[in-house]
Short mmCIF file of all heavy atoms in Angstrom, two decimals:
data_model
loop_
_atom_site.label_atom_id
_atom_site.label_comp_id
_atom_site.label_asym_id
_atom_site.label_seq_id
_atom_site.Cartn_x
_atom_site.Cartn_y
_atom_site.Cartn_z
N LYS A 466 -2.36 14.09 -10.31
CA LYS A 466 -3.02 13.39 -9.21
C LYS A 466 -4.37 12.86 -9.69
O LYS A 466 -5.17 13.61 -10.24
CB LYS A 466 -3.22 14.37 -8.05
CG LYS A 466 -3.99 13.80 -6.89
CD LYS A 466 -4.00 14.78 -5.72
CE LYS A 466 -4.77 14.25 -4.55
NZ LYS A 466 -6.17 14.69 -4.51
N MET A 467 -4.59 11.58 -9.47
CA MET A 467 -5.90 11.02 -9.82
C MET A 467 -6.93 11.56 -8.82
O MET A 467 -6.67 11.64 -7.63
CB MET A 467 -5.84 9.50 -9.71
CG MET A 467 -7.16 8.83 -9.97
SD MET A 467 -7.06 7.06 -9.67
CE MET A 467 -5.81 6.61 -10.81
N SER A 468 -8.09 11.96 -9.30
CA SER A 468 -9.11 12.40 -8.35
C SER A 468 -10.49 11.93 -8.80
O SER A 468 -10.70 11.69 -9.99
CB SER A 468 -9.07 13.90 -8.16
OG SER A 468 -9.68 14.53 -9.24
N LYS A 469 -11.40 11.89 -7.81
CA LYS A 469 -12.74 11.36 -8.08
C LYS A 469 -13.45 12.14 -9.17
O LYS A 469 -14.23 11.60 -9.92
CB LYS A 469 -13.64 11.44 -6.84
CG LYS A 469 -13.00 11.27 -5.52
CD LYS A 469 -14.05 11.21 -4.43
CE LYS A 469 -14.03 12.40 -3.47
NZ LYS A 469 -12.80 12.51 -2.70
N SER A 470 -13.18 13.46 -9.20
CA SER A 470 -13.94 14.28 -10.12
C SER A 470 -13.37 14.27 -11.54
O SER A 470 -14.01 14.75 -12.46
CB SER A 470 -13.96 15.71 -9.58
OG SER A 470 -12.64 16.11 -9.31
N LYS A 471 -12.16 13.75 -11.68
CA LYS A 471 -11.57 13.77 -13.02
C LYS A 471 -11.89 12.50 -13.79
O LYS A 471 -12.17 11.46 -13.20
CB LYS A 471 -10.04 13.91 -12.92
CG LYS A 471 -9.59 15.27 -12.47
CD LYS A 471 -8.09 15.39 -12.66
CE LYS A 471 -7.52 16.49 -11.80
NZ LYS A 471 -6.18 16.20 -11.33
N ALA A 472 -11.76 12.59 -15.11
CA ALA A 472 -12.06 11.43 -15.95
C ALA A 472 -11.04 10.30 -15.73
O ALA A 472 -11.28 9.16 -16.08
CB ALA A 472 -12.05 11.85 -17.41
N ASN A 473 -9.91 10.66 -15.11
CA ASN A 473 -8.87 9.64 -14.91
C ASN A 473 -9.15 8.73 -13.70
O ASN A 473 -8.34 7.86 -13.39
CB ASN A 473 -7.48 10.30 -14.78
CG ASN A 473 -7.35 11.19 -13.54
OD1 ASN A 473 -8.14 11.09 -12.61
ND2 ASN A 473 -6.35 12.06 -13.55
N ALA A 474 -10.28 8.94 -13.03
CA ALA A 474 -10.56 8.15 -11.81
C ALA A 474 -10.91 6.70 -12.16
O ALA A 474 -11.71 6.44 -13.05
CB ALA A 474 -11.70 8.79 -11.04
N ILE A 475 -10.31 5.78 -11.43
CA ILE A 475 -10.63 4.35 -11.59
C ILE A 475 -11.30 3.90 -10.30
O ILE A 475 -10.80 4.18 -9.20
CB ILE A 475 -9.34 3.54 -11.82
CG1 ILE A 475 -8.63 4.00 -13.10
CG2 ILE A 475 -9.62 2.03 -11.87
CD1 ILE A 475 -7.27 3.38 -13.29
N HIS A 476 -12.41 3.21 -10.41
CA HIS A 476 -13.09 2.70 -9.21
C HIS A 476 -12.40 1.41 -8.77
O HIS A 476 -12.03 0.58 -9.63
CB HIS A 476 -14.57 2.44 -9.53
CG HIS A 476 -15.40 2.20 -8.31
ND1 HIS A 476 -15.38 1.00 -7.62
CD2 HIS A 476 -16.25 3.01 -7.64
CE1 HIS A 476 -16.21 1.10 -6.58
NE2 HIS A 476 -16.74 2.31 -6.57
N PRO A 477 -12.19 1.20 -7.46
CA PRO A 477 -11.51 -0.02 -7.00
C PRO A 477 -12.13 -1.31 -7.55
O PRO A 477 -11.40 -2.27 -7.84
CB PRO A 477 -11.65 0.04 -5.47
CG PRO A 477 -11.76 1.49 -5.17
CD PRO A 477 -12.48 2.12 -6.33
N SER A 478 -13.46 -1.33 -7.74
CA SER A 478 -14.10 -2.56 -8.24
C SER A 478 -13.57 -2.97 -9.61
O SER A 478 -13.55 -4.15 -9.93
CB SER A 478 -15.61 -2.35 -8.38
OG SER A 478 -16.18 -2.20 -7.14
N GLU A 479 -13.19 -1.97 -10.40
CA GLU A 479 -12.70 -2.31 -11.74
C GLU A 479 -11.49 -3.24 -11.66
O GLU A 479 -11.30 -4.09 -12.50
CB GLU A 479 -12.30 -1.03 -12.50
CG GLU A 479 -13.46 -0.14 -12.89
CD GLU A 479 -12.98 1.11 -13.62
OE1 GLU A 479 -12.22 0.99 -14.60
OE2 GLU A 479 -13.33 2.21 -13.17
N ILE A 480 -10.69 -3.05 -10.63
CA ILE A 480 -9.50 -3.90 -10.46
C ILE A 480 -9.84 -5.15 -9.66
O ILE A 480 -9.46 -6.27 -10.03
CB ILE A 480 -8.39 -3.09 -9.75
CG1 ILE A 480 -7.97 -1.91 -10.62
CG2 ILE A 480 -7.19 -3.99 -9.42
CD1 ILE A 480 -6.97 -0.98 -9.98
N VAL A 481 -10.58 -4.95 -8.57
CA VAL A 481 -10.88 -6.08 -7.67
C VAL A 481 -11.70 -7.16 -8.38
O VAL A 481 -11.48 -8.36 -8.16
CB VAL A 481 -11.59 -5.57 -6.39
CG1 VAL A 481 -12.10 -6.73 -5.55
CG2 VAL A 481 -10.64 -4.70 -5.58
N ASP A 482 -12.61 -6.75 -9.24
CA ASP A 482 -13.45 -7.74 -9.93
C ASP A 482 -12.60 -8.73 -10.72
O ASP A 482 -12.97 -9.90 -10.87
CB ASP A 482 -14.44 -7.06 -10.89
CG ASP A 482 -15.58 -6.38 -10.13
OD1 ASP A 482 -15.67 -6.61 -8.90
OD2 ASP A 482 -16.34 -5.61 -10.74
N THR A 483 -11.47 -8.29 -11.23
CA THR A 483 -10.60 -9.19 -12.01
C THR A 483 -9.54 -9.86 -11.14
O THR A 483 -9.31 -11.06 -11.23
CB THR A 483 -9.90 -8.39 -13.14
OG1 THR A 483 -10.90 -7.76 -13.92
CG2 THR A 483 -9.05 -9.30 -14.02
N PHE A 484 -8.89 -9.06 -10.30
CA PHE A 484 -7.71 -9.58 -9.60
C PHE A 484 -7.98 -10.00 -8.16
O PHE A 484 -7.14 -10.66 -7.55
CB PHE A 484 -6.59 -8.52 -9.61
CG PHE A 484 -6.01 -8.31 -10.99
CD1 PHE A 484 -6.52 -7.33 -11.83
CD2 PHE A 484 -4.97 -9.10 -11.45
CE1 PHE A 484 -6.00 -7.15 -13.10
CE2 PHE A 484 -4.44 -8.93 -12.72
CZ PHE A 484 -4.96 -7.95 -13.55
N GLY A 485 -9.12 -9.60 -7.60
CA GLY A 485 -9.42 -9.92 -6.21
C GLY A 485 -8.85 -8.86 -5.28
O GLY A 485 -7.92 -8.12 -5.64
N SER A 486 -9.42 -8.78 -4.08
CA SER A 486 -9.00 -7.70 -3.16
C SER A 486 -7.59 -7.94 -2.62
O SER A 486 -6.85 -6.99 -2.36
CB SER A 486 -10.00 -7.55 -2.02
OG SER A 486 -10.19 -8.77 -1.33
N ASP A 487 -7.18 -9.19 -2.43
CA ASP A 487 -5.83 -9.43 -1.88
C ASP A 487 -4.76 -8.92 -2.83
O ASP A 487 -3.81 -8.26 -2.41
CB ASP A 487 -5.61 -10.92 -1.63
CG ASP A 487 -6.22 -11.37 -0.30
OD1 ASP A 487 -6.89 -10.55 0.35
OD2 ASP A 487 -6.01 -12.54 0.07
N ALA A 488 -4.90 -9.26 -4.10
CA ALA A 488 -3.89 -8.83 -5.08
C ALA A 488 -3.88 -7.32 -5.20
O ALA A 488 -2.83 -6.69 -5.32
CB ALA A 488 -4.17 -9.47 -6.44
N TYR A 489 -5.08 -6.72 -5.14
CA TYR A 489 -5.21 -5.25 -5.18
C TYR A 489 -4.38 -4.63 -4.04
O TYR A 489 -3.57 -3.73 -4.23
CB TYR A 489 -6.69 -4.91 -5.02
CG TYR A 489 -7.03 -3.44 -4.98
CD1 TYR A 489 -7.55 -2.81 -6.09
CD2 TYR A 489 -6.86 -2.69 -3.81
CE1 TYR A 489 -7.89 -1.46 -6.07
CE2 TYR A 489 -7.18 -1.35 -3.77
CZ TYR A 489 -7.70 -0.74 -4.90
OH TYR A 489 -8.02 0.59 -4.84
N ARG A 490 -4.60 -5.14 -2.84
CA ARG A 490 -3.94 -4.61 -1.66
C ARG A 490 -2.43 -4.82 -1.75
O ARG A 490 -1.63 -3.92 -1.44
CB ARG A 490 -4.50 -5.28 -0.40
CG ARG A 490 -5.99 -5.02 -0.17
CD ARG A 490 -6.62 -6.03 0.79
NE ARG A 490 -5.98 -6.00 2.09
CZ ARG A 490 -6.43 -5.32 3.15
NH1 ARG A 490 -7.57 -4.65 3.05
NH2 ARG A 490 -5.79 -5.34 4.29
N TYR A 491 -2.05 -6.02 -2.14
CA TYR A 491 -0.63 -6.37 -2.26
C TYR A 491 0.05 -5.44 -3.25
O TYR A 491 1.12 -4.89 -2.97
CB TYR A 491 -0.54 -7.82 -2.74
CG TYR A 491 0.86 -8.35 -2.98
CD1 TYR A 491 1.58 -8.93 -1.94
CD2 TYR A 491 1.43 -8.32 -4.25
CE1 TYR A 491 2.86 -9.45 -2.16
CE2 TYR A 491 2.70 -8.83 -4.47
CZ TYR A 491 3.41 -9.41 -3.43
OH TYR A 491 4.66 -9.92 -3.66
N TYR A 492 -0.56 -5.25 -4.40
CA TYR A 492 0.05 -4.43 -5.45
C TYR A 492 0.31 -3.01 -4.96
O TYR A 492 1.42 -2.50 -5.02
CB TYR A 492 -0.84 -4.43 -6.70
CG TYR A 492 -0.32 -3.54 -7.78
CD1 TYR A 492 0.72 -3.96 -8.61
CD2 TYR A 492 -0.83 -2.25 -7.97
CE1 TYR A 492 1.23 -3.13 -9.61
CE2 TYR A 492 -0.33 -1.41 -8.96
CZ TYR A 492 0.70 -1.86 -9.77
OH TYR A 492 1.20 -1.03 -10.74
N PHE A 493 -0.74 -2.34 -4.46
CA PHE A 493 -0.56 -0.94 -4.09
C PHE A 493 0.34 -0.77 -2.87
O PHE A 493 1.10 0.19 -2.77
CB PHE A 493 -1.92 -0.26 -3.86
CG PHE A 493 -2.63 0.03 -5.15
CD1 PHE A 493 -3.74 -0.70 -5.53
CD2 PHE A 493 -2.16 1.02 -6.00
CE1 PHE A 493 -4.40 -0.44 -6.73
CE2 PHE A 493 -2.80 1.28 -7.21
CZ PHE A 493 -3.92 0.55 -7.57
N MET A 494 0.29 -1.70 -1.94
CA MET A 494 1.10 -1.57 -0.74
C MET A 494 2.56 -1.93 -0.97
O MET A 494 3.45 -1.39 -0.33
CB MET A 494 0.53 -2.45 0.38
CG MET A 494 -0.78 -1.95 0.92
SD MET A 494 -0.67 -0.24 1.55
CE MET A 494 -1.58 0.67 0.30
N LYS A 495 2.82 -2.83 -1.90
CA LYS A 495 4.21 -3.25 -2.12
C LYS A 495 4.93 -2.40 -3.16
O LYS A 495 6.11 -2.11 -3.03
CB LYS A 495 4.25 -4.72 -2.57
CG LYS A 495 5.65 -5.21 -2.90
CD LYS A 495 5.72 -6.71 -3.02
CE LYS A 495 7.13 -7.18 -3.29
NZ LYS A 495 7.54 -7.11 -4.69
N MET A 496 4.20 -1.99 -4.20
CA MET A 496 4.89 -1.41 -5.35
C MET A 496 5.11 0.10 -5.25
O MET A 496 5.85 0.66 -6.05
CB MET A 496 4.14 -1.73 -6.65
CG MET A 496 3.92 -3.21 -6.91
SD MET A 496 5.33 -4.30 -6.59
CE MET A 496 6.46 -3.76 -7.87
N ILE A 497 4.47 0.76 -4.30
CA ILE A 497 4.70 2.21 -4.16
C ILE A 497 5.36 2.45 -2.80
O ILE A 497 4.82 2.06 -1.77
CB ILE A 497 3.37 2.99 -4.23
CG1 ILE A 497 2.69 2.74 -5.58
CG2 ILE A 497 3.61 4.48 -4.01
CD1 ILE A 497 1.28 3.29 -5.67
N ALA A 498 6.53 3.09 -2.83
CA ALA A 498 7.21 3.40 -1.57
C ALA A 498 6.27 4.30 -0.77
O ALA A 498 5.86 5.36 -1.27
CB ALA A 498 8.53 4.10 -1.85
N PHE A 499 5.92 3.89 0.43
CA PHE A 499 4.92 4.64 1.19
C PHE A 499 5.52 5.99 1.61
O PHE A 499 6.48 6.05 2.36
CB PHE A 499 4.44 3.83 2.39
CG PHE A 499 3.09 4.29 2.85
CD1 PHE A 499 1.98 4.15 2.03
CD2 PHE A 499 2.92 4.88 4.09
CE1 PHE A 499 0.74 4.60 2.43
CE2 PHE A 499 1.68 5.32 4.50
CZ PHE A 499 0.59 5.18 3.68
N GLY A 500 4.93 7.07 1.10
CA GLY A 500 5.49 8.41 1.32
C GLY A 500 5.84 9.06 -0.01
O GLY A 500 5.94 10.27 -0.10
N SER A 501 6.00 8.25 -1.07
CA SER A 501 6.32 8.80 -2.39
C SER A 501 5.11 8.65 -3.32
O SER A 501 4.24 7.82 -3.09
CB SER A 501 7.48 8.02 -3.04
OG SER A 501 8.58 8.00 -2.18
N ASP A 502 5.13 9.43 -4.40
CA ASP A 502 4.08 9.28 -5.41
C ASP A 502 4.30 7.98 -6.18
O ASP A 502 5.41 7.45 -6.21
CB ASP A 502 4.14 10.45 -6.42
CG ASP A 502 3.71 11.77 -5.79
OD1 ASP A 502 3.23 11.75 -4.64
OD2 ASP A 502 3.87 12.80 -6.45
N GLY A 503 3.25 7.50 -6.82
CA GLY A 503 3.39 6.28 -7.62
C GLY A 503 2.36 6.25 -8.72
O GLY A 503 1.40 7.01 -8.70
N SER A 504 2.58 5.40 -9.71
CA SER A 504 1.60 5.30 -10.78
C SER A 504 1.05 3.89 -10.84
O SER A 504 1.67 2.95 -10.35
CB SER A 504 2.18 5.61 -12.16
OG SER A 504 3.28 6.40 -12.05
N PHE A 505 -0.10 3.79 -11.46
CA PHE A 505 -0.73 2.49 -11.62
C PHE A 505 -0.85 2.22 -13.12
O PHE A 505 -1.17 3.12 -13.89
CB PHE A 505 -2.13 2.53 -11.00
CG PHE A 505 -3.05 1.48 -11.55
CD1 PHE A 505 -2.97 0.18 -11.07
CD2 PHE A 505 -3.94 1.76 -12.58
CE1 PHE A 505 -3.78 -0.81 -11.60
CE2 PHE A 505 -4.75 0.79 -13.11
CZ PHE A 505 -4.67 -0.50 -12.62
N SER A 506 -0.57 1.00 -13.52
CA SER A 506 -0.94 0.62 -14.89
C SER A 506 -1.41 -0.82 -14.88
O SER A 506 -0.95 -1.64 -14.08
CB SER A 506 0.24 0.80 -15.86
OG SER A 506 1.06 -0.35 -15.85
N TRP A 507 -2.36 -1.12 -15.77
CA TRP A 507 -2.91 -2.47 -15.84
C TRP A 507 -1.81 -3.47 -16.17
O TRP A 507 -1.77 -4.57 -15.63
CB TRP A 507 -4.01 -2.55 -16.90
CG TRP A 507 -5.26 -1.85 -16.47
CD1 TRP A 507 -5.64 -0.58 -16.82
CD2 TRP A 507 -6.28 -2.35 -15.61
NE1 TRP A 507 -6.84 -0.28 -16.22
CE2 TRP A 507 -7.26 -1.35 -15.48
CE3 TRP A 507 -6.47 -3.56 -14.93
CZ2 TRP A 507 -8.41 -1.50 -14.70
CZ3 TRP A 507 -7.62 -3.71 -14.16
CH2 TRP A 507 -8.57 -2.70 -14.05
N GLU A 508 -0.91 -3.09 -17.06
CA GLU A 508 0.16 -3.99 -17.50
C GLU A 508 1.06 -4.35 -16.32
O GLU A 508 1.44 -5.49 -16.12
CB GLU A 508 1.01 -3.34 -18.60
CG GLU A 508 0.30 -3.12 -19.92
CD GLU A 508 -0.73 -2.01 -19.87
OE1 GLU A 508 -0.66 -1.14 -18.98
OE2 GLU A 508 -1.66 -2.02 -20.72
N HIS A 509 1.40 -3.33 -15.54
CA HIS A 509 2.29 -3.56 -14.40
C HIS A 509 1.61 -4.45 -13.36
O HIS A 509 2.19 -5.40 -12.85
CB HIS A 509 2.72 -2.22 -13.80
CG HIS A 509 3.80 -2.36 -12.77
ND1 HIS A 509 3.80 -1.67 -11.58
CD2 HIS A 509 4.92 -3.12 -12.75
CE1 HIS A 509 4.86 -2.00 -10.88
NE2 HIS A 509 5.57 -2.87 -11.57
N LEU A 510 0.35 -4.13 -13.07
CA LEU A 510 -0.40 -4.93 -12.11
C LEU A 510 -0.47 -6.40 -12.58
O LEU A 510 -0.23 -7.32 -11.79
CB LEU A 510 -1.82 -4.36 -11.95
CG LEU A 510 -2.85 -5.25 -11.24
CD1 LEU A 510 -2.45 -5.51 -9.80
CD2 LEU A 510 -4.24 -4.61 -11.27
N HIS A 511 -0.75 -6.58 -13.84
CA HIS A 511 -0.87 -7.94 -14.37
C HIS A 511 0.46 -8.68 -14.28
O HIS A 511 0.52 -9.86 -13.90
CB HIS A 511 -1.36 -7.90 -15.82
CG HIS A 511 -1.62 -9.26 -16.39
ND1 HIS A 511 -0.90 -9.77 -17.43
CD2 HIS A 511 -2.49 -10.23 -16.02
CE1 HIS A 511 -1.33 -11.00 -17.69
NE2 HIS A 511 -2.29 -11.29 -16.85
N ALA A 512 1.55 -7.96 -14.56
CA ALA A 512 2.87 -8.59 -14.52
C ALA A 512 3.23 -8.99 -13.09
O ALA A 512 3.73 -10.09 -12.84
CB ALA A 512 3.92 -7.63 -15.10
N VAL A 513 2.94 -8.09 -12.14
CA VAL A 513 3.26 -8.39 -10.74
C VAL A 513 2.39 -9.55 -10.25
O VAL A 513 2.87 -10.47 -9.59
CB VAL A 513 3.05 -7.12 -9.86
CG1 VAL A 513 3.12 -7.46 -8.38
CG2 VAL A 513 4.08 -6.05 -10.22
N TYR A 514 1.12 -9.50 -10.60
CA TYR A 514 0.20 -10.56 -10.18
C TYR A 514 0.71 -11.92 -10.70
O TYR A 514 0.78 -12.90 -9.95
CB TYR A 514 -1.20 -10.29 -10.74
CG TYR A 514 -2.21 -11.37 -10.39
CD1 TYR A 514 -2.93 -11.32 -9.20
CD2 TYR A 514 -2.39 -12.47 -11.24
CE1 TYR A 514 -3.83 -12.32 -8.87
CE2 TYR A 514 -3.29 -13.48 -10.90
CZ TYR A 514 -4.00 -13.40 -9.72
OH TYR A 514 -4.87 -14.39 -9.38
N THR A 515 1.05 -11.95 -11.97
CA THR A 515 1.44 -13.22 -12.58
C THR A 515 2.75 -13.74 -11.97
O THR A 515 2.83 -14.90 -11.56
CB THR A 515 1.59 -13.05 -14.11
OG1 THR A 515 0.36 -12.52 -14.60
CG2 THR A 515 1.90 -14.37 -14.78
#
Side-chain angles (χ1 to χ4, degrees):
K466 175 173 179 266
M467 176 186 301
S468 78
K469 327 187 247 297
S470 52
K471 288 192 200 146
N473 64 18
I475 298 172
H476 192 283
S478 293
E479 291 179 52
I480 297 175
V481 171
D482 286 351
T483 304
F484 291 92
S486 56
D487 278 6
Y489 178 102
R490 297 161 60 96
Y491 178 87
Y492 176 79
F493 285 108
M494 290 303 108
K495 176 167 183 277
M496 304 316 293
I497 300 171
F499 202 64
S501 305
D502 290 352
S504 335
F505 158 81
S506 85
W507 288 98
E508 293 72 21
H509 189 223
L510 166 63
H511 185 245
V513 169
Y514 178 88
T515 305

